[in-house]
Amino acid sequence: MTYDRPGPGGRGWLLRLVIAFSFAQAAVSMARPAVSYRALSLGADERAIGVIAGVYALLPLFAAVPLGRRTDHGRCAPLLPIGVVLIAGGCALSGLANSLAAMAAWSGVMGLGHLCFVIGSQSIVARQSAPAEQDRNFGHFTIGASLGQLIGPVAAGLLIGGDMGRSSALALVVSAGVAAFSFVSLWRIERRTSPGSRPARGDKVPVHRILRTRGVPGGIFISLAVLSATDILTAYLPVIGEHRGIAPTTVGLLLSLRAAATIACRLVMTPMIRLLGRTALLAVTCLLAALLCAGIALPVPVWGLAVMLAVLGFCLGVGQPLSMTTVVQAAPADARSTALALRLTGNRLGQVAAPASAGLVAGVAGTAAPFVMLGALLLAAAGLGVRDGRTGSKGEEPGGGSVAGVGHDALSPPKVR
């Protein structure tokens, strides 16, 4: 794999990318609850809010693979300002919308913008990082997402109140301004390269071949499981709190504690990989997260819940960056951005299917049941990580170069089942 370095600036490009991603993710994390409150003020019921949330996740599915195809043989950086414009426009126009149909449409635009930004930025990290640096750089990159997820909902909560219609509209307009701040650091992130340094244009690698490449399905599933756990935890912990008499403020602090632990995990990703090895780290953290998710269903005191959520947040912080490295290094050399797009497609499908499944399970077996379901999902992810590691990386040393069975020599052809 050819990778590009921005030259004398060292890793300054990565810091600028993390800052830009923090603003973009904070805007989205701020806007999504504000969209729900704005829709409620326009007379939406639970079903309508579900449709609006679904449009955010489903609409970009149709654009993910074409965007990945384009990025594989071109520059990645142009997708970043396009994404910021779409996010900011979707946020602002959602705040000005006066109908539920318009809210759904602009929510889809916001989701498309977020997809553009993430595909572009992940492709930059993959392209400009040496194979041995990818775990570290993807870990630092995802700190931007965690910071945004930590700050955005808090900011939305501070702005929304009293007159729900006006305050939610204000929160959406403010979130558009937050997204616009991303432009401050969108400079010199990607170095212009000569055509010869990019993958040669040839026949497109079929999607089914990418999905059959050893390591890619496992990386996609682990990412889906971890993201589903994060989403359902955010959605259902308030319900658990309501049933157990835990104040909403305390629930908010518990969720913030989870996000802070995820950030801490990503700061120490490299030494953990050196200590355990990538396969073992993925398997152990997914297994521990599975047990902790199931444990949330137990009637533990608040302090016990805080400890569990802190450890759970730390464990969940491993899956996303390592699954990015897994997919990047396993995929064919001229289809890495497409593989990342497929990973994001899996994430979006999980964002739609997991909450729906959790709702069905909760309706049948009670509000704690979704956490048991998450435990089973993460347990399957742990097993898949171990299986991929055993079939493809025999003799892997801690901190070694294999990811789900693919070594650091990215020029060697991937093995296809």
Side-chain angles (χ1 to χ4, degrees), residues 111-326:
L112 182 60
H114 187 257
L115 182 77
C116 288
F117 193 98
V118 172
I119 287 178
S121 53
Q122 287 183 4
S123 298
I124 287 173
V125 176
R127 187 173 291 179
Q128 297 189 168
S129 302
E133 299 173 340
Q134 286 176 346
D135 287 324
R136 179 195 64 196
N137 288 355
F138 275 124
H140 290 171
F141 166 72
T142 52
I143 289 173
S146 298
L147 286 171
Q149 291 165 357
L150 180 65
I151 295 168
V154 175
L158 291 174
L159 287 173
I160 299 171
D163 185 343
M164 189 186 296
R166 284 190 164 193
S167 60
S168 59
L170 174 63
L172 285 163
V173 173
V174 170
S175 66
V178 172
F181 269 101
S182 298
F183 283 114
V184 172
S185 59
L186 287 182
W187 52 278
R188 292 185 62 199
I189 286 179
E190 182 184 33
R191 187 183 69 178
R192 290 183 179 274
T193 58
S194 62
S197 67
R198 296 178 189 151
R201 277 188 188 273
D203 294 336
K204 294 179 180 177
V205 180
V207 168
H208 68 84
R209 181 189 161 197
I210 299 172
L211 291 175
R212 290 175 57 206
T213 304
R214 189 180 62 212
V216 172
I220 291 173
F221 185 81
I222 290 170
S223 178
L224 183 153
V226 170
L227 185 64
S228 297
T230 304
D231 277 5
I232 293 177
L233 185 66
T234 302
Y236 277 87
L237 193 63
V239 181
I240 290 283
E242 182 68 21
H243 279 263
R244 298 181 187 175
I246 303 173
T249 305
T250 305
V251 171
L253 289 173
L254 290 172
L255 289 172
S256 295
L257 179 64
R258 194 278 311 162
T262 297
I263 295 172
C265 164
R266 288 166 181 172
L267 289 171
V268 295
M269 186 77 69
T270 301
M272 287 195 299
I273 293 171
R274 287 175 182 160
L275 180 66
L276 295 175
R278 190 178 294 109
T279 299
L281 182 60
L282 263 176
V284 168
T285 52
C286 284
L287 177 60
L288 187 53
L291 296 174
L292 289 166
C293 277
I296 292 174
L298 301 175
V300 296
V302 173
W303 66 265
L305 200 57
V307 172
M308 291 170 68
L309 285 169
V311 180
L312 178 59
F314 193 90
C315 292
L316 292 176
V318 171
Q320 292 287 20
L322 290 196
S323 69
M324 291 179 200
T325 310
T326 297

Side-chain angles (χ1 to χ4, degrees), residues 72 205-206 209-210 213 216 327-337 339 410 413-414 416:
D72 275 323
V205 180
R209 181 189 161 197
I210 299 172
T213 304
V216 172
V327 169
V328 165
Q329 295 192 358
D334 55 349
R336 290 194 165 98
S337 293
V416 182

Side-chain angles (χ1 to χ4, degrees), residues 221-222 225 290 374-385:
F221 185 81
I222 290 170
L374 283 180
L377 188 65
L378 287 164
L379 189 62
L384 193 58

